[in-house]
Amino acid sequence: MLDHMRLDLLDPVEVSRLGGLELSTEGVVEGFLTGLHRSPKRGFSVEFAEYRMYQPGDELRYIDWKVLGRNDRLYVKQFEEETNLRAMIVLDASRSMAWTGSPDTLLTKLEYAKRLAAAIALVLLRQHDATGLITFDDEVRSVTPAKARMTHWRRLLKELNGLEPGHGTAAGPALARVVDLLRRRGLVVFISDLLLDRDAALKAFKFLRHRGHQVLVLHVMDPGEVTLEGLQEVRFEDPETREAVILRPRDWAGVYQKTVSRAVQAWRVACRSNGISYHCITSDTPFGLALREALASPSGVT
Amino acid sequence: MSFLHPWMLLGLGAAAIPIILHLIARRRPPTVIFPAVRYLVDTAREHQRRLRIRNLLLLLVRTALIVALMLAASGPSVPISGVPGHAPSALVVIVDNSVSSGAVAGGTAVGEPLRRAAAEVLSRATAEDALWLLTADGLARSGDRKTLTRVVDSLATSSMRLDLGAAIRQADAILAGEERPGEIFLITDLQRTAVSPAATQAPLVVVRPEGDVVSNVGVGSVATGTQPWQFDGGRLIVTIAGDADGPVALSVAVGGRPERQALAGPGAPVAVTVTGLTPGWWPVVVSVDPDELRADDRRVTAVRVAPVARVTWNPADLHLATAVQVLEADGRVRRGNEVTLGGLGRGLSVVFPPADPAEVGALNRALGRRGVAWRFGDPVNAAERSDSGALVGAVAVARRYRLERSTAGGTGVLATVGGDPWMVRDAGVVLLGSRLDPEWTELPLAAEFVPFVDALINRVARGEVALRQGTPGGTVLLPDRTTEVHSGERRWTVEGGAPFSPPATGLYYLVAGIDTMGVLAANVDVRESYLERAGDRAIRQLWHPARIIEPERARDVVFAAGARGDLRGPLLWLALALALVEVGLASLRKRES
């Protein structure tokens, strides 16, 4: 049945019910890559960059003969540096990630993020890019160094399968660990609900950029966090800090939504101004769409 | 502020509903785990003050909306001056057209500006107002503006007295049954003698004339002394009323005889001797020179001239015998057989119960043979008092026989004890329920005993009654046997014991069959002769909180002093505005949600 279905476009909950993390992720990636080949944005890791006038010493195989035939001039094609990418997926496994506003119809943010991370890892490994995984809550929970073998994906899956929600959120140590692990310039995929110290996180992102890494931030949100619903007065409690606030959702829904939008926009502006890719994804978004949005970006891997 | 439907104010309790709902909703809110509390905190920090103000405003608007609707339903009104319209009101206009209002000052009757003021007051009324008009005749006329204005325009000076306190109480009783806000407008010359205490719940406006009070002299009273007079005549005692500062010339006319002149000083009675009268009822007119108040310049009365009764009595009745001997010595009775005292004689008789109870049966049978409708009934031994009347005052009665009628038509009750007949007259026989003995009644020991015996012999036994005094419009109970009343050419067929109201001053002859049994002299109340006005301070103390104004201001003050502005319209507009605000606030919140 999986052969006939585009799992990447199914509802995440439906996908999770089809099988384990490995099976469902493979289905998602297969669907995603199939769709990608049909897309005009196809491409590979060795990308054409620009033409340059031929100079003595250049390899003849890079001369563009069609241009020579039309213009009677020698041009050579230049490509991006052809090298295997080293990527590190940094996954937030704090307690706030283990929440969903609709347990019957939505995955928790953590379950969604685990599947998304697995799918990204599979895409990268299929491109022979070395991929690693760091999980964290208020401290670094696990570190899996980047490797390019496909068998490495099983290890990553094992790590993700055994991942349980932790306590608070502190991204700094995890990102510092990335610096240690990625000696060469690489790709950092940061998957989190971003309910953390914003300034500290941005500072770490900037440092990574300074070190030449591409940074992709995937902001996972539950739809219940975007819109506030309910008539009666409720005491809302933060699962990590136990901070609480009492209010009537009906009265606050409008202004709350504006606050959330403003916070997302602030992340987006802060990231873009520092050359960081930022994508806000709700946990009801099909994985294929999330992957397309994340990986088809300028800092993406495809 | 007053209310048309004050019970609707109970609905104001509904104003607490929004607050109660708010408090109920605030109790023990459930806890929900929510990771994005930081966004809520940021939102609350930024918008809490505005949302709190808006919610508070919404709560206030809803509460005010309910209050406005409930207040509007209760029909409130408030005093508003200087506005052309007014809320539907109940107005009682008291126009004092009593005798004193006929006094002329500056060529105009005092009552004239008062009537004009009354007409102007009524002209401010609308079809939604309830109107009453009270005048000196005591009638409360209800009607619309035009009807009552016509009554006021045709109102003449009455020969009756108006007790202002009683009129206010009557007006207050009228307004007590009204749901509309009420007001009493008293338009009067504010004569001091007409003022009496009164309490009223409704606003009271007193309109009284400006200017000095004119002086007045009137005939205060004419006393005729003990009647009947003998052929040698009698004396009239005349007093002058008013504020005369010197002797006043007065004229006395008895029947058609030439007038007698006399001088009477203020407060000093003058005696006028009248002689040479033949038997019968003689009209007496005492008058003074005309002055500013004509109604009290003349007073009428009557005297009865008759020979003294010839009487037989039993010397064994010690106290009665003593009284008769005194009267005989004074020439008020003579010995003879015209009237028999103590037992049943051939002619007129005054019968007491026998000392021996065994003789009561024989006496009753004898009374029956004489055609007397009354009998001696069961003996009553109880400490009682006679009911105070014209013939005898309140005297103690220890023993008596109950007087019972043997036929349905018998009347003629002259005095009662404990509600039972005690002295009756029928078929020329007077029956007394008690013997005139101190063991039966204290009357023989009282100072009034001799005059009582005089009246009993000379008038009661003869079937006559005392001269009755009355005032025009006042009520007088007619003697039991009266069948007709006539005065000049006018005649009234009446029933004995019924009330009779003389329409004007003059003499009214009380007739039983073909016999004139008495005279009712109707004269203006002597208190009307004193025109001095009550002071504003005294009025405010007696009729707190009265507002006193001049006639010229009456039109402006009516429905303005007590006059109310109807708040229902403004309150409904306010409720509509509040409802719109509520809808606006609620939709704003909904839109934000």
Side-chain angles (χ1 to χ4, degrees):
Chain A
M1 186 173 68
L2 294 175
D3 295 338
H4 305 288
M5 294 173 63
R6 289 287 304 278
L7 297 189
D8 59 323
L9 299 180
L10 286 183
D11 183 86
V13 172
E14 296 295 327
V15 172
S16 69
R17 287 171 182 164
L18 290 175
L21 187 60
E22 177 183 354
L23 185 61
S24 60
T25 304
E26 281 182 335
V28 166
V29 171
E30 288 296 335
F32 167 69
L33 292 178
T34 303
L36 201 62
H37 286 303
R38 293 173 186 164
S39 167
K41 287 188 174 181
R42 69 185 64 174
F44 299 95
S45 61
V46 182
E47 294 279 359
F48 167 76
E50 61 183 351
Y51 286 109
R52 178 172 61 77
M53 291 296 291
Y54 172 80
Q55 291 180 352
D58 288 340
E59 288 189 38
L60 294 178
R61 62 173 174 156
Y62 293 124
I63 293 174
D64 191 323
W65 301 106
K66 290 181 181 177
V67 175
L68 177 65
R70 285 198 298 269
N71 298 333
D72 199 22
R73 291 183 180 176
L74 286 173
Y75 283 91
V76 293
K77 290 189 282 189
Q78 283 198 320
F79 297 87
E80 294 282 352
E81 184 180 15
E82 188 178 358
T83 177
N84 284 337
L85 186 69
R86 294 183 71 82
M88 188 60 73
I89 299 172
V90 182
L91 177 61
D92 180 359
S94 63
R95 181 166 294 173
S96 66
M97 288 288 286
W99 185 86
T100 176
S102 306
D104 296 333
T105 58
L106 291 175
L107 297 172
T108 64
K109 291 183 285 183
L110 182 59
E111 289 301 321
Y112 185 88
K114 283 157 70 174
R115 283 162 175 75
L116 188 60
I120 292 172
L122 184 57
V123 171
L124 292 171
L125 286 171
R126 284 194 174 181
Q127 294 179 166
H128 308 291
D129 294 329
T131 304
L133 174 68
I134 295 177
T135 62
F136 70 96
D137 48 14
D138 50 359
E139 59 184 8
V140 176
R141 293 271 299 278
S142 68
V143 176
T144 306
K147 292 185 179 177
R149 291 190 301 273
M150 278 302 295
T151 53
H152 186 57
W153 190 58
R154 306 288 177 195
R155 185 179 171 189
L156 295 178
L157 285 179
K158 186 180 177 185
E159 198 65 47
L160 289 171
N161 272 325
L163 186 61
E164 292 296 329
H167 299 96
T169 310
L175 293 173
R177 195 68 182 274
V178 170
V179 175
D180 295 338
L181 293 173
L182 293 181
R183 296 290 179 189
R184 295 168 52 198
R185 286 187 294 177
L187 172 67
V188 179
V189 181
F190 187 80
I191 305 174
S192 169
D193 57 7
L194 296 183
L195 297 174
L196 40 68
D197 185 344
R198 181 169 172 271
D199 293 336
L202 279 174
K203 187 176 179 182
F205 293 155
K206 288 177 188 175
F207 182 70
L208 288 171
R209 285 293 297 151
H210 177 72
R211 295 292 298 267
H213 299 298
Q214 294 293 325
V215 179
L216 171 61
V217 176
L218 298 180
H219 185 176
V220 179
M221 293 189 77
D222 188 276
E225 292 176 321
V226 178
T227 57
L228 211 54
E229 291 178 349
L231 295 176
Q232 298 301 318
E233 199 165 57
V234 173
R235 178 177 178 273
F236 291 97
E237 183 178 299
D238 189 320
E240 294 181 9
T241 63
R242 295 299 171 192
E243 183 180 14
V245 59
I246 297 174
L247 47 81
R248 185 177 288 111
R250 182 186 61 182
D251 296 343
W252 293 79
V255 290
Y256 171 80
Q257 197 163 12
K258 288 178 183 174
T259 303
V260 171
S261 297
R262 207 163 49 240
V264 169
Q265 186 63 20
W267 275 108
R268 181 175 285 120
V269 170
C271 289
R272 285 188 178 168
S273 63
N274 291 286
I276 300 166
S277 288
Y278 169 87
H279 299 283
C280 183
I281 300 166
T282 53
S283 58
D284 57 350
T285 307
F287 291 113
L289 298 181
L291 284 173
R292 183 185 300 275
E293 189 175 354
L295 302 181
S297 63
S299 60
V301 293
T302 56
Chain B
M1 181 181 290
S2 61
F3 299 91
L4 201 57
H5 309 295
W7 52 271
M8 284 297 293
L9 292 174
L10 294 174
L12 285 176
I17 290 175
I19 299 171
I20 292 171
L21 289 177
H22 173 73
L23 293 177
I24 289 174
R26 281 187 66 88
R27 286 189 311 173
R28 295 181 182 174
T31 296
V32 168
I33 299 298
F34 189 71
V37 163
R38 65 172 59 194
Y39 297 142
L40 289 175
V41 172
D42 291 345
T43 307
R45 190 180 299 127
E46 191 174 346
H47 299 280
Q48 190 165 32
R49 180 180 171 82
R50 184 170 63 86
L51 282 174
R52 184 172 292 173
I53 289 174
R54 195 179 64 193
N55 285 342
L56 185 63
L57 193 62
L58 199 58
L59 184 70
L60 289 175
V61 165
R62 286 173 177 168
T63 304
L65 176 62
I66 295 173
V67 169
L69 287 174
M70 289 298 110
L71 281 176
S74 63
S77 58
V78 292
I80 298 176
S81 57
V83 293
H86 61 271
S89 304
L91 174 68
V92 180
V93 181
I94 305 170
V95 179
D96 181 1
N97 64 331
S98 62
V99 176
S100 60
S101 71
V104 175
T108 306
V110 172
E112 194 55 38
L114 302 182
R115 282 188 282 276
R116 279 201 302 272
E120 289 181 354
V121 164
L122 289 171
S123 71
R124 287 287 312 281
T126 66
E128 292 184 329
D129 294 324
L131 302 174
W132 287 269
L133 179 67
L134 277 178
T135 55
D137 58 13
L139 294 176
R141 300 173 180 83
S142 174
D144 59 17
R145 181 181 63 186
K146 289 183 178 176
T147 304
L148 296 186
T149 302
R150 277 199 297 273
V151 173
V152 168
D153 290 342
S154 61
L155 208 57
T157 302
S158 170
S159 54
M160 299 171 65
R161 176 176 180 267
L162 177 63
D163 185 317
L164 299 178
I168 292 171
R169 288 191 293 274
Q170 186 179 356
D172 195 52
I174 290 171
L175 294 177
E178 262 295 323
E179 288 189 340
R180 284 168 280 204
E183 186 175 9
I184 301 172
F185 235 75
L186 173 59
I187 304 174
T188 175
D189 60 358
L190 212 56
Q191 191 182 18
R192 181 189 291 275
T193 56
V195 172
S196 62
T200 172
Q201 300 299 317
L204 171 64
V205 179
V206 179
V207 182
R208 52 108 175 86
E210 285 286 273
D212 297 331
V213 177
V214 295
S215 61
N216 174 57
V217 173
V219 180
S221 64
V222 181
T224 56
T226 304
Q227 295 201 43
W229 285 4
Q230 306 303 305
F231 298 127
D232 55 354
R235 288 198 310 173
L236 298 170
I237 308 298
V238 180
T239 58
I240 296 298
D243 49 8
D245 52 1
V248 175
L250 56 86
S251 301
V252 178
V254 180
R257 302 179 69 177
E259 289 185 352
R260 298 277 305 275
Q261 307 295 324
L263 280 177
V270 61
V272 178
T273 303
V274 180
T275 57
L277 299 177
T278 56
W281 286 95
W282 288 83
V284 177
V285 178
V286 180
S287 58
V288 297
D289 291 338
D291 57 7
E292 280 73 8
L293 180 60
R294 300 294 302 275
D296 67 343
D297 292 343
R298 181 173 176 273
R299 184 168 286 270
V300 298
T301 187
V303 292
R304 168 69 171 149
V305 179
V308 296
R310 294 182 300 278
V311 63
T312 300
W313 68 92
N314 184 359
D317 297 327
L318 185 60
H319 294 85
L320 179 62
T322 304
V324 174
Q325 286 166 2
V326 170
L327 292 172
E328 184 184 24
D330 199 30
R332 295 293 301 167
V333 296
R334 291 179 186 170
R335 292 176 185 266
N337 296 324
E338 183 186 0
V339 178
T340 302
L341 292 178
L344 196 58
R346 288 184 175 180
L348 303 175
S349 303
V350 176
V351 179
F352 315 138
D356 184 358
E359 297 176 6
V360 171
L363 179 57
N364 281 339
R365 287 192 292 276
L367 290 170
R369 284 194 295 273
R370 279 283 293 269
V372 177
W374 293 89
R375 301 285 184 274
F376 289 100
D378 296 330
V380 177
N381 294 320
E384 298 172 298
R385 296 189 81 81
S386 62
D387 301 318
S388 180
L391 193 60
V392 61
V395 295
V397 176
R399 294 177 60 188
R400 65 181 172 92
Y401 276 88
R402 187 170 282 119
L403 299 179
E404 299 170 347
R405 277 185 294 187
S406 58
T407 62
T411 57
V413 177
L414 301 171
T416 58
V417 169
D420 292 336
W422 186 60
M423 184 164 62
V424 300
R425 186 184 186 279
D426 187 46
V429 176
V430 176
L431 270 69
L432 263 170
S434 302
R435 294 180 63 80
L436 294 177
D437 185 291
E439 289 186 3
W440 291 66
T441 171
E442 70 174 11
L443 182 59
L445 304 179
E448 61 182 312
F449 184 59
V450 173
F452 168 75
V453 174
D454 185 355
L456 191 64
I457 296 170
N458 284 307
R459 292 210 318 269
V460 177
R462 286 169 162 173
E464 297 172 0
V465 295
L467 176 69
R468 307 245 166 144
Q469 302 286 348
T471 56
T475 300
V476 175
L477 285 179
L478 295 173
D480 266 357
R481 295 185 301 117
T482 313
T483 57
E484 186 181 90
V485 176
H486 67 86
S487 176
E489 297 299 318
R490 297 191 64 182
R491 293 177 183 275
W492 295 266
T493 301
V494 297
E495 187 175 337
F500 178 76
S501 182
T505 57
L507 292 178
Y508 295 82
Y509 292 91
L510 311 179
V511 178
I514 58 171
D515 298 330
T516 299
M517 58 184 294
V519 171
L520 167 62
N523 292 287
V524 297
D525 194 298
V526 66
R527 289 171 289 188
E528 290 294 309
S529 296
Y530 299 92
L531 301 181
E532 184 187 4
R533 288 181 191 146
D536 291 355
R537 186 176 174 185
I539 290 303
R540 290 194 181 94
Q541 286 177 345
L542 278 175
W543 299 335
H544 181 77
R547 183 178 180 186
I548 303 171
I549 61 169
E550 300 156 10
E552 293 74 22
R553 294 193 57 213
R555 179 183 167 81
D556 300 329
V557 171
V558 66
F559 300 123
R564 331 285 307 170
D566 190 354
L567 291 182
R568 282 178 297 186
L571 280 171
L572 286 175
W573 279 111
L574 175 64
L576 180 63
L578 289 170
L580 290 174
V581 171
E582 198 275 346
V583 168
L585 287 173
S587 63
L588 179 65
R589 187 169 73 175
K590 195 171 181 180
R591 199 161 54 242
E592 289 186 357
S593 299

